[in-house]
Amino acid sequence: MNITTSTPSPQAQAMLKALQQAVTESLERKRKLGQYAVMWQDGRPIRVEGDANNVKE
């Protein structure tokens, strides 16, 4: 893996922002549907449960 300390180009910043937004929207959709997601926390995978049972219509 290459780690750089220079500022990303405007195109790279736009791509990163788009990817972050897509992941945020996907995780929110999964949460609302009551699906689980697996994420890394403290160097370990954790399962985060959705809350479809708590959604009020």
Side-chain angles (χ1 to χ4, degrees):
M1 175 179 3
N2 295 332
I3 299 174
T4 61
T5 57
S6 62
T7 302
S9 68
Q11 293 87 359
Q13 289 176 352
M15 286 187 275
L16 178 59
K17 184 177 180 180
L19 289 169
Q20 288 173 329
Q21 183 177 357
V23 169
T24 299
E25 290 172 3
S26 293
L27 289 173
E28 180 64 14
R29 186 178 327 110
K30 288 177 80 63
R31 184 189 65 78
K32 287 180 179 179
L33 291 171
Q35 299 173 345
Y36 72 91
V38 177
M39 299 181 209
W40 283 98
Q41 185 176 47
D42 299 327
R44 301 176 64 195
I46 61 165
R47 180 177 170 150
V48 179
E49 298 293 331
D51 64 359
N53 295 333
N54 298 327
V55 174
K56 296 182 176 145
E57 297 179 22

